[in-house]
Short mmCIF file of all heavy atoms in Angstrom, two decimals:
data_model
loop_
_atom_site.label_atom_id
_atom_site.label_comp_id
_atom_site.label_asym_id
_atom_site.label_seq_id
_atom_site.Cartn_x
_atom_site.Cartn_y
_atom_site.Cartn_z
N ARG A 11 -7.77 -19.52 11.00
CA ARG A 11 -6.34 -19.52 11.31
C ARG A 11 -6.01 -18.34 12.23
O ARG A 11 -6.67 -17.31 12.18
CB ARG A 11 -5.50 -19.40 10.03
CG ARG A 11 -5.74 -20.49 9.01
CD ARG A 11 -4.81 -20.32 7.82
NE ARG A 11 -5.16 -21.20 6.73
CZ ARG A 11 -4.53 -21.20 5.55
NH1 ARG A 11 -3.53 -20.36 5.34
NH2 ARG A 11 -4.91 -22.03 4.59
N GLU A 12 -4.96 -18.50 13.02
CA GLU A 12 -4.53 -17.41 13.90
C GLU A 12 -3.43 -16.61 13.22
O GLU A 12 -2.30 -16.49 13.70
CB GLU A 12 -4.07 -17.97 15.25
CG GLU A 12 -5.22 -18.54 16.07
CD GLU A 12 -4.80 -18.85 17.49
OE1 GLU A 12 -3.58 -18.96 17.77
OE2 GLU A 12 -5.70 -18.98 18.35
N GLU A 13 -3.77 -16.07 12.08
CA GLU A 13 -2.86 -15.23 11.32
C GLU A 13 -3.65 -14.38 10.34
O GLU A 13 -4.80 -14.69 10.00
CB GLU A 13 -1.83 -16.08 10.55
CG GLU A 13 -2.43 -17.01 9.54
CD GLU A 13 -1.41 -17.93 8.89
OE1 GLU A 13 -0.29 -18.07 9.46
OE2 GLU A 13 -1.70 -18.49 7.82
N ALA A 14 -3.04 -13.29 9.92
CA ALA A 14 -3.62 -12.42 8.91
C ALA A 14 -2.80 -12.55 7.64
O ALA A 14 -1.56 -12.49 7.67
CB ALA A 14 -3.64 -10.97 9.38
N ASP A 15 -3.48 -12.75 6.54
CA ASP A 15 -2.84 -12.88 5.23
C ASP A 15 -3.23 -11.65 4.39
O ASP A 15 -4.41 -11.42 4.13
CB ASP A 15 -3.29 -14.17 4.55
CG ASP A 15 -2.57 -14.43 3.25
OD1 ASP A 15 -2.74 -13.63 2.31
OD2 ASP A 15 -1.84 -15.44 3.17
N ILE A 16 -2.25 -10.87 4.01
CA ILE A 16 -2.49 -9.59 3.32
C ILE A 16 -1.90 -9.64 1.92
O ILE A 16 -0.70 -9.85 1.75
CB ILE A 16 -1.84 -8.42 4.09
CG1 ILE A 16 -2.31 -8.41 5.55
CG2 ILE A 16 -2.13 -7.09 3.40
CD1 ILE A 16 -1.27 -7.89 6.50
N THR A 17 -2.74 -9.49 0.91
CA THR A 17 -2.28 -9.33 -0.46
C THR A 17 -2.73 -7.97 -0.95
O THR A 17 -3.92 -7.64 -0.88
CB THR A 17 -2.84 -10.42 -1.38
OG1 THR A 17 -2.40 -11.70 -0.93
CG2 THR A 17 -2.38 -10.21 -2.82
N ALA A 18 -1.79 -7.17 -1.41
CA ALA A 18 -2.09 -5.83 -1.92
C ALA A 18 -1.51 -5.69 -3.32
O ALA A 18 -0.33 -5.98 -3.54
CB ALA A 18 -1.49 -4.76 -1.00
N THR A 19 -2.34 -5.30 -4.26
CA THR A 19 -1.88 -5.09 -5.63
C THR A 19 -1.88 -3.59 -5.93
O THR A 19 -2.93 -2.97 -6.04
CB THR A 19 -2.78 -5.83 -6.63
OG1 THR A 19 -2.82 -7.21 -6.30
CG2 THR A 19 -2.27 -5.65 -8.05
N LYS A 20 -0.69 -3.03 -6.03
CA LYS A 20 -0.55 -1.63 -6.41
C LYS A 20 -0.72 -1.53 -7.93
O LYS A 20 -0.22 -2.37 -8.67
CB LYS A 20 0.82 -1.09 -6.01
CG LYS A 20 1.11 -1.16 -4.52
CD LYS A 20 2.42 -0.48 -4.16
CE LYS A 20 3.62 -1.20 -4.72
NZ LYS A 20 4.88 -0.54 -4.36
N TYR A 21 -1.42 -0.50 -8.40
CA TYR A 21 -1.60 -0.35 -9.85
C TYR A 21 -1.53 1.13 -10.23
O TYR A 21 -1.87 2.02 -9.45
CB TYR A 21 -2.94 -0.95 -10.30
CG TYR A 21 -4.16 -0.28 -9.70
CD1 TYR A 21 -4.77 0.80 -10.31
CD2 TYR A 21 -4.71 -0.76 -8.52
CE1 TYR A 21 -5.88 1.41 -9.75
CE2 TYR A 21 -5.82 -0.17 -7.95
CZ TYR A 21 -6.40 0.93 -8.58
OH TYR A 21 -7.50 1.52 -8.01
N ALA A 22 -1.06 1.40 -11.44
CA ALA A 22 -0.95 2.76 -11.94
C ALA A 22 -0.72 2.71 -13.45
O ALA A 22 -0.56 1.64 -14.04
CB ALA A 22 0.18 3.51 -11.24
N SER A 23 -0.69 3.88 -14.07
CA SER A 23 -0.52 3.95 -15.53
C SER A 23 0.94 3.92 -15.95
O SER A 23 1.24 3.75 -17.13
CB SER A 23 -1.18 5.23 -16.06
OG SER A 23 -0.65 6.37 -15.40
N THR A 24 1.88 4.08 -15.00
CA THR A 24 3.30 4.00 -15.31
C THR A 24 4.01 3.17 -14.24
O THR A 24 3.56 3.11 -13.09
CB THR A 24 3.95 5.39 -15.37
OG1 THR A 24 3.94 5.98 -14.06
CG2 THR A 24 3.22 6.32 -16.34
N GLN A 25 5.15 2.60 -14.62
CA GLN A 25 5.92 1.83 -13.65
C GLN A 25 6.49 2.73 -12.55
O GLN A 25 6.59 2.33 -11.39
CB GLN A 25 7.06 1.08 -14.36
CG GLN A 25 7.90 0.24 -13.43
CD GLN A 25 7.07 -0.74 -12.63
OE1 GLN A 25 6.26 -1.48 -13.19
NE2 GLN A 25 7.25 -0.75 -11.31
N SER A 26 6.86 3.95 -12.91
CA SER A 26 7.39 4.88 -11.91
C SER A 26 6.36 5.17 -10.83
O SER A 26 6.70 5.26 -9.64
CB SER A 26 7.83 6.19 -12.59
OG SER A 26 8.87 5.95 -13.50
N ALA A 27 5.12 5.30 -11.23
CA ALA A 27 4.05 5.59 -10.27
C ALA A 27 3.83 4.40 -9.34
O ALA A 27 3.62 4.56 -8.14
CB ALA A 27 2.77 5.96 -10.99
N VAL A 28 3.87 3.19 -9.89
CA VAL A 28 3.72 2.00 -9.06
C VAL A 28 4.83 1.92 -8.02
O VAL A 28 4.60 1.68 -6.82
CB VAL A 28 3.70 0.72 -9.93
CG1 VAL A 28 3.81 -0.52 -9.05
CG2 VAL A 28 2.42 0.65 -10.74
N SER A 29 6.05 2.15 -8.46
CA SER A 29 7.20 2.06 -7.56
C SER A 29 7.18 3.13 -6.48
O SER A 29 7.75 2.94 -5.39
CB SER A 29 8.50 2.15 -8.36
OG SER A 29 8.59 1.09 -9.30
N ALA A 30 6.53 4.26 -6.77
CA ALA A 30 6.50 5.37 -5.81
C ALA A 30 5.50 5.14 -4.68
O ALA A 30 5.57 5.80 -3.65
CB ALA A 30 6.17 6.67 -6.53
N MET A 31 4.57 4.21 -4.86
CA MET A 31 3.61 3.90 -3.80
C MET A 31 4.20 2.90 -2.81
O MET A 31 5.11 2.15 -3.14
CB MET A 31 2.32 3.31 -4.39
CG MET A 31 1.41 4.32 -5.03
SD MET A 31 -0.15 3.54 -5.56
CE MET A 31 0.40 2.59 -6.97
N ASP A 32 3.64 2.87 -1.60
CA ASP A 32 4.10 1.93 -0.59
C ASP A 32 2.90 1.39 0.18
O ASP A 32 1.86 2.05 0.27
CB ASP A 32 5.08 2.61 0.36
CG ASP A 32 5.88 1.62 1.19
OD1 ASP A 32 5.83 0.41 0.87
OD2 ASP A 32 6.54 2.04 2.15
N VAL A 33 3.03 0.19 0.73
CA VAL A 33 2.04 -0.41 1.61
C VAL A 33 2.71 -0.62 2.96
O VAL A 33 3.71 -1.33 3.07
CB VAL A 33 1.52 -1.75 1.05
CG1 VAL A 33 0.60 -2.42 2.06
CG2 VAL A 33 0.80 -1.54 -0.27
N ASP A 34 2.16 0.01 3.98
CA ASP A 34 2.73 -0.05 5.32
C ASP A 34 1.88 -0.97 6.19
O ASP A 34 0.66 -0.78 6.31
CB ASP A 34 2.78 1.36 5.92
CG ASP A 34 3.43 1.38 7.29
OD1 ASP A 34 4.56 0.88 7.41
OD2 ASP A 34 2.81 1.89 8.24
N VAL A 35 2.50 -1.98 6.80
CA VAL A 35 1.82 -2.93 7.67
C VAL A 35 2.49 -2.91 9.03
O VAL A 35 3.70 -3.13 9.13
CB VAL A 35 1.85 -4.35 7.08
CG1 VAL A 35 1.22 -5.35 8.05
CG2 VAL A 35 1.14 -4.40 5.73
N VAL A 36 1.71 -2.64 10.08
CA VAL A 36 2.24 -2.62 11.43
C VAL A 36 1.36 -3.51 12.30
O VAL A 36 0.16 -3.25 12.47
CB VAL A 36 2.27 -1.19 12.01
CG1 VAL A 36 2.77 -1.22 13.46
CG2 VAL A 36 3.16 -0.29 11.16
N ALA A 37 1.95 -4.57 12.85
CA ALA A 37 1.25 -5.45 13.78
C ALA A 37 1.80 -5.19 15.17
O ALA A 37 3.00 -5.30 15.42
CB ALA A 37 1.47 -6.90 13.39
N SER A 38 0.91 -4.80 16.09
CA SER A 38 1.33 -4.45 17.44
C SER A 38 0.26 -4.89 18.43
O SER A 38 -0.89 -4.44 18.35
CB SER A 38 1.56 -2.94 17.56
OG SER A 38 1.89 -2.56 18.86
N GLY A 39 0.66 -5.75 19.38
CA GLY A 39 -0.32 -6.23 20.35
C GLY A 39 -1.46 -6.95 19.65
O GLY A 39 -1.25 -7.87 18.86
N ASP A 40 -2.69 -6.52 19.93
CA ASP A 40 -3.85 -7.15 19.30
C ASP A 40 -4.35 -6.38 18.08
O ASP A 40 -5.45 -6.64 17.60
CB ASP A 40 -4.98 -7.31 20.32
CG ASP A 40 -5.57 -5.98 20.75
OD1 ASP A 40 -4.94 -4.93 20.47
OD2 ASP A 40 -6.65 -5.97 21.37
N SER A 41 -3.59 -5.42 17.57
CA SER A 41 -4.06 -4.62 16.44
C SER A 41 -3.16 -4.80 15.22
O SER A 41 -1.95 -5.04 15.33
CB SER A 41 -4.11 -3.14 16.82
OG SER A 41 -2.82 -2.59 16.95
N LEU A 42 -3.78 -4.68 14.05
CA LEU A 42 -3.08 -4.73 12.77
C LEU A 42 -3.49 -3.48 11.99
O LEU A 42 -4.67 -3.25 11.76
CB LEU A 42 -3.47 -6.00 12.00
CG LEU A 42 -2.94 -6.13 10.58
CD1 LEU A 42 -1.42 -6.16 10.56
CD2 LEU A 42 -3.51 -7.38 9.91
N ARG A 43 -2.50 -2.69 11.61
CA ARG A 43 -2.75 -1.45 10.87
C ARG A 43 -2.11 -1.53 9.49
O ARG A 43 -0.92 -1.83 9.37
CB ARG A 43 -2.21 -0.25 11.65
CG ARG A 43 -2.91 -0.04 12.99
CD ARG A 43 -2.32 1.12 13.77
NE ARG A 43 -2.96 1.24 15.07
CZ ARG A 43 -4.04 1.99 15.32
NH1 ARG A 43 -4.58 2.70 14.33
NH2 ARG A 43 -4.56 2.04 16.53
N ILE A 44 -2.91 -1.25 8.48
CA ILE A 44 -2.46 -1.30 7.09
C ILE A 44 -2.76 0.05 6.45
O ILE A 44 -3.87 0.58 6.59
CB ILE A 44 -3.17 -2.42 6.31
CG1 ILE A 44 -2.98 -3.77 7.02
CG2 ILE A 44 -2.67 -2.48 4.88
CD1 ILE A 44 -3.86 -4.87 6.46
N ARG A 45 -1.78 0.58 5.72
CA ARG A 45 -1.98 1.91 5.12
C ARG A 45 -1.35 1.96 3.72
O ARG A 45 -0.22 1.53 3.53
CB ARG A 45 -1.37 2.98 6.02
CG ARG A 45 -1.64 4.41 5.59
CD ARG A 45 -1.35 5.36 6.74
NE ARG A 45 0.04 5.29 7.15
CZ ARG A 45 0.97 6.20 6.81
NH1 ARG A 45 0.64 7.23 6.06
NH2 ARG A 45 2.22 6.06 7.25
N SER A 46 -2.11 2.49 2.77
CA SER A 46 -1.57 2.77 1.44
C SER A 46 -0.94 4.15 1.47
O SER A 46 -1.60 5.13 1.84
CB SER A 46 -2.68 2.75 0.38
OG SER A 46 -3.35 1.51 0.38
N ILE A 47 0.33 4.23 1.08
CA ILE A 47 1.05 5.50 1.13
C ILE A 47 1.23 6.00 -0.30
O ILE A 47 1.89 5.37 -1.12
CB ILE A 47 2.40 5.35 1.83
CG1 ILE A 47 2.18 4.84 3.27
CG2 ILE A 47 3.15 6.67 1.84
CD1 ILE A 47 3.45 4.58 4.02
N ARG A 48 0.64 7.15 -0.57
CA ARG A 48 0.72 7.77 -1.89
C ARG A 48 1.94 8.69 -1.95
O ARG A 48 2.25 9.37 -0.99
CB ARG A 48 -0.57 8.55 -2.11
CG ARG A 48 -0.61 9.35 -3.36
CD ARG A 48 -1.88 10.13 -3.58
NE ARG A 48 -2.92 10.00 -2.59
CZ ARG A 48 -4.22 10.08 -2.88
NH1 ARG A 48 -4.59 10.23 -4.13
NH2 ARG A 48 -5.12 10.01 -1.93
N PRO A 49 2.64 8.74 -3.08
CA PRO A 49 3.78 9.66 -3.19
C PRO A 49 3.34 11.11 -3.12
O PRO A 49 2.20 11.45 -3.48
CB PRO A 49 4.39 9.32 -4.55
CG PRO A 49 3.27 8.68 -5.32
CD PRO A 49 2.43 7.96 -4.31
N SER A 50 4.23 11.97 -2.65
CA SER A 50 3.89 13.39 -2.52
C SER A 50 3.72 14.05 -3.88
O SER A 50 2.93 14.98 -4.04
CB SER A 50 4.96 14.12 -1.71
OG SER A 50 6.24 13.94 -2.30
N GLU A 51 4.45 13.58 -4.90
CA GLU A 51 4.29 14.15 -6.24
C GLU A 51 3.04 13.59 -6.91
O GLU A 51 2.58 12.51 -6.58
CB GLU A 51 5.51 13.83 -7.11
CG GLU A 51 6.83 14.31 -6.55
CD GLU A 51 7.44 13.29 -5.60
OE1 GLU A 51 6.78 12.26 -5.31
OE2 GLU A 51 8.56 13.54 -5.11
N ARG A 52 2.51 14.32 -7.86
CA ARG A 52 1.34 13.85 -8.61
C ARG A 52 1.80 12.91 -9.71
O ARG A 52 2.63 13.25 -10.53
CB ARG A 52 0.56 15.02 -9.21
CG ARG A 52 -0.17 15.88 -8.17
CD ARG A 52 -1.05 16.92 -8.85
NE ARG A 52 -2.06 16.30 -9.69
CZ ARG A 52 -3.25 15.90 -9.26
NH1 ARG A 52 -3.56 16.01 -7.97
NH2 ARG A 52 -4.11 15.37 -10.08
N TRP A 53 1.24 11.70 -9.71
CA TRP A 53 1.61 10.68 -10.69
C TRP A 53 0.40 10.25 -11.53
O TRP A 53 0.45 9.25 -12.21
CB TRP A 53 2.18 9.46 -9.99
CG TRP A 53 3.49 9.69 -9.31
CD1 TRP A 53 3.69 10.16 -8.06
CD2 TRP A 53 4.79 9.44 -9.85
NE1 TRP A 53 5.02 10.23 -7.77
CE2 TRP A 53 5.73 9.78 -8.85
CE3 TRP A 53 5.26 8.95 -11.08
CZ2 TRP A 53 7.10 9.65 -9.04
CZ3 TRP A 53 6.63 8.81 -11.25
CH2 TRP A 53 7.54 9.18 -10.25
N GLY A 54 -0.71 10.97 -11.47
CA GLY A 54 -1.91 10.54 -12.17
C GLY A 54 -2.67 9.51 -11.36
O GLY A 54 -2.47 9.35 -10.15
N ASN A 55 -3.55 8.78 -12.01
CA ASN A 55 -4.40 7.81 -11.32
C ASN A 55 -3.59 6.60 -10.86
O ASN A 55 -2.77 6.04 -11.60
CB ASN A 55 -5.52 7.34 -12.25
CG ASN A 55 -6.54 8.43 -12.50
OD1 ASN A 55 -6.77 9.26 -11.64
ND2 ASN A 55 -7.13 8.43 -13.69
N MET A 56 -3.85 6.19 -9.64
CA MET A 56 -3.16 5.04 -9.06
C MET A 56 -3.99 4.53 -7.89
O MET A 56 -4.91 5.20 -7.44
CB MET A 56 -1.77 5.44 -8.58
CG MET A 56 -1.79 6.54 -7.51
SD MET A 56 -0.15 6.93 -6.86
CE MET A 56 0.67 7.53 -8.33
N GLY A 57 -3.66 3.36 -7.39
CA GLY A 57 -4.39 2.84 -6.24
C GLY A 57 -3.84 1.49 -5.81
O GLY A 57 -2.85 0.99 -6.35
N VAL A 58 -4.52 0.90 -4.83
CA VAL A 58 -4.13 -0.40 -4.28
C VAL A 58 -5.39 -1.24 -4.05
O VAL A 58 -6.35 -0.76 -3.44
CB VAL A 58 -3.37 -0.24 -2.93
CG1 VAL A 58 -2.91 -1.61 -2.44
CG2 VAL A 58 -2.21 0.72 -3.05
#
């Protein structure tokens, strides 16, 4: 297909930590950039 399908599952030990994370997707020209953004405060273990 001529499309990108992105599924990202954020996970953490608390709901506040999950909500504090972000997934940034930028499609520009022929490039697709995806970035997991971690909150500046320490929330314990988390990931995507």
Side-chain angles (χ1 to χ4, degrees):
R11 302 183 190 177
E12 291 191 342
E13 62 185 18
D15 185 296
I16 306 148
T17 298
T19 303
K20 301 186 293 181
Y21 63 89
S23 56
T24 67
Q25 181 54 51
S26 297
V28 169
S29 299
M31 284 185 287
D32 196 11
V33 174
D34 183 54
V35 176
V36 177
S38 176
D40 68 346
S41 71
L42 174 62
R43 297 178 183 269
I44 304 169
R45 186 163 61 102
S46 302
I47 301 177
R48 175 181 359 212
S50 56
E51 302 87 355
R52 290 187 61 86
W53 293 86
N55 290 328
M56 60 176 63
V58 184

